[in-house]
């Protein structure tokens, strides 16, 4: 398991809860994720905007990008489960997508009216991104193929990050005592 925290560390744990490795970070950790296709790689995103991919085989950084400048704050990041070269992050009121094989500059950036609190790649379709906005209490799904949202769903509260079905374009999100589910399959 891996975790990041406000103490500016990323820690790797065994199944018994014993700490195996500790990486120092330059700012509080906001997101950490293993990649399903490349299990020896770990994405770590920090509040000040640094996103790095570590290789646990070599114990080195294999990719690094700077997602923010100035006072902007990175709140969330995710790694595309079907394409290990794609990363996304929510920085204040903007979300960005990077292809780390091309450049450290985003391949796509989208301004958003409020705050991007949670962002998650679609598992069955790498063009889909779900964004949870805790200020407007909305779930918004974007397709990288379209400039407009595919889904905008108001919610009574936003209690969790969006979650995708592993084989179908179905997204779910929890609100207080309910789970809301939407199918984005073409009819």
């Amino acid at each position: 398991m891996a975790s990041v925290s406000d103490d500016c560390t990323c820690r790797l744990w065994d199944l018994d809860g014993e700490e195996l490795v500790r990486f120092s970070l330059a700012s509080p950790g906001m997101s950490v994720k293993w990649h399903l296709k490349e299990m020896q790689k770990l994405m770590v995103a920090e509040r000040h905007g640094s996103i790095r991919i570590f290789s646990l085989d070599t114990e080195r950084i294999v990719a690094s990008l700077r997602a923010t400048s100035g006072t902007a704050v990175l709140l969330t990041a995710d790694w595309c489960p079907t394409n290990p070269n794609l990363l996304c992050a929510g920085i204040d009121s903007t979300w960005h997508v990077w292809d780390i094989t091309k450049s450290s500059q985003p391949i796509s950036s989208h301004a958003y009216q409020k705050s991007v609190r949670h962002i998650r790649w679609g598992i069955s379709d790498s063009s889909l991104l779900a964004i949870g906005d805790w200020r407007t209490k909305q779930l918004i799904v974007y397709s990288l193929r379209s400039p407009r949202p595919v889904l905008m769903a108001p919610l009574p509260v936003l209690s969790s990050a969006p979650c995708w079905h592993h084989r179908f374009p179905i997204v779910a999100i929890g609100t207080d005592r309910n789970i809301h589910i939407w199918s984005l399959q073409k009819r």
Side-chain angles (χ1 to χ4, degrees), residues 33-38 78-87 121-128 144-145 165-167:
K33 186 159 189 177
W34 299 100
H35 199 276
L36 297 173
K37 292 185 176 182
E38 297 189 29
D78 198 19
W79 200 355
C80 183
T82 57
N83 184 343
N85 298 321
L86 295 178
L87 300 170
W121 282 102
I123 296 172
S124 66
D125 184 342
S126 63
S127 73
L128 295 175
L144 296 180
R145 297 183 194 115
H165 189 277
H166 71 284
R167 286 191 7 222

Side-chain angles (χ1 to χ4, degrees), residues 162-175:
C163 183
W164 289 91
H165 189 277
H166 71 284
R167 286 191 7 222
F168 302 109
I170 297 171
V171 64
I173 195 162
T175 61

Side-chain angles (χ1 to χ4, degrees), residues 7-10 22-27 46 52 54:
D7 69 356
C8 299
T9 62
C10 173
R22 181 186 304 195
F23 298 105
S24 293
L25 306 175
S27 71
E46 299 176 45
R52 294 180 280 179
F54 292 92

Side-chain angles (χ1 to χ4, degrees), residues 96-139:
H96 305 277
V97 175
W98 291 267
D99 181 336
I100 60 173
T101 63
K102 294 185 177 174
S103 164
S104 62
Q105 297 299 313
I107 59 170
S108 181
S109 293
H110 301 271
Y112 179 66
Q113 72 240 15
K114 295 292 181 181
S115 175
V116 178
R117 181 60 187 110
H118 302 287
I119 191 166
R120 296 291 183 269
W121 282 102
I123 296 172
S124 66
D125 184 342
S126 63
S127 73
L128 295 175
L129 286 163
I131 294 172
D133 179 348
W134 61 273
R135 288 188 184 154
T136 63
K137 299 179 184 91
Q138 285 186 328
L139 172 68

